[in-house]
Amino acid sequence: MNQPQSQPLKRFLAFDTSTACLALAVMENDKVLHTIKAAGERNHAVHLLPLVQKGLAEAGVAPSEVSGIAVGIGPGSYTGTRIAVTAAKTLAWTWNIPVAGVSSLQAFAWSGTLTAADSGSGAKWIIPFMDARRGQAYTALFQATGAAMPVRRKEDAIRLMDPWVEEIGRLWMETPADERPEKVLFIGDKSNHDNTIEQLRSLLGERLHIAVCDMEGEPVGRLGAKSLLDGETDDVHRLVPNYTQLAEAEKLLRKP
């Protein structure tokens, strides 16, 4: 009797530099072999390639064994996201392997459910946010149960936090009571937006949680491995960061 063939082993490299924390993972199919987390946003350009070499070596994977690269394409830090995407495209071109871009906000949301002390094991809404100044944040809305992969409910975008928090409140009120999640978890640096988010306290009560966490390598790796295993890859020449808006310098250049 013929035994079913197992899926061929593929090894992937995944990284994200959209935040102050450089997150990297080496995967074998959907299994995490090794992760690295390194703080220091201003040094991502200096440290990324050495950490790629270190991560592969510590995972016992040679560069020639890497089957694909996944990269967080933002939104987030303009400079940080550009560093990661440029490095991923260069390595994919040099090694002649596919590349896949993944949402940095989805990876950040998943990082929160894996590491936040008050994340919980039940159903939750996750709202990751990265400060974009002037009362704005890069943010989205996801839903998940326990530590499962967050499922998108609202697209990645740069939003003014006041109307965004109001929108979350309206969505809560429009959701039938028996379908509402156990927790609404805001993930990000709350220093500039804590008061705005706290406006939901009267509506959500103890279901509202605000947590600070770092970007983790594991969710970047798992999202990337899923895309690569599913064949959801990008053209190495056309892959670009998801800025969600033009950088200030680009706006000035395009002015008549």
Side-chain angles (χ1 to χ4, degrees), residues 7 55 150:
Q7 189 175 17

Side-chain angles (χ1 to χ4, degrees), residues 234-254:
D234 293 278
D235 185 312
V236 69
H237 300 294
R238 297 182 180 181
L239 179 64
V240 294
N242 177 19
Y243 294 128
T244 71
Q245 70 170 10
L246 290 175
E248 204 65 35
E250 292 176 292
K251 289 180 182 177
L252 292 173
L253 285 173
R254 296 191 182 192

Side-chain angles (χ1 to χ4, degrees), residues 134-155:
R134 301 174 185 173
Q136 302 175 109
Y138 302 108
T139 184
L141 172 62
F142 298 89
Q143 185 165 331
T145 299
M149 179 185 294
V151 177
R152 182 180 300 282
R153 293 199 57 170
K154 293 287 185 178
E155 72 281 357

Side-chain angles (χ1 to χ4, degrees), residues 5-18:
Q5 291 184 343
S6 60
Q7 189 175 17
L9 290 180
K10 294 185 177 181
R11 295 179 174 89
F12 305 123
L13 171 67
F15 49 81
D16 185 289
T17 60
S18 65

Side-chain angles (χ1 to χ4, degrees), residues 8 17 28 45 57 74 108 139 151 181 183 204 208 232 247:
T17 60
E28 186 172 78
F108 193 40
T139 184
V151 177
K183 295 178 185 288
L204 302 178
L208 174 64
E232 298 172 355

Side-chain angles (χ1 to χ4, degrees), residues 2 15 17 26 42 44 48 77 85 120 139 172-173 180 182 184 187 204 214 222 226 234-235:
N2 293 330
F15 49 81
T17 60
V26 182
R42 295 181 183 275
H44 286 342
L48 178 55
S77 161
V85 172
T139 184
W172 176 268
M173 293 299 296
R180 291 172 180 169
E182 293 180 9
V184 176
I187 299 289
L204 302 178
D214 292 327
R222 291 194 182 280
K226 183 180 186 305
D234 293 278
D235 185 312

Side-chain angles (χ1 to χ4, degrees), residues 46-113:
V46 174
H47 295 306
L48 178 55
L49 292 181
L51 287 177
V52 164
Q53 294 175 325
K54 178 182 178 183
L56 290 174
E58 292 181 348
V61 175
S64 60
E65 296 176 311
V66 178
S67 304
I69 294 178
V71 60
I73 60 170
S77 161
Y78 286 121
T79 302
T81 304
R82 192 180 303 120
I83 289 168
V85 172
T86 301
K89 293 171 66 172
T90 301
L91 291 174
W93 173 257
T94 302
W95 294 344
N96 192 28
I97 55 177
V99 63
V102 300
S103 164
S104 297
L105 282 174
Q106 187 174 12
F108 193 40
W110 203 354
S111 296
T113 66

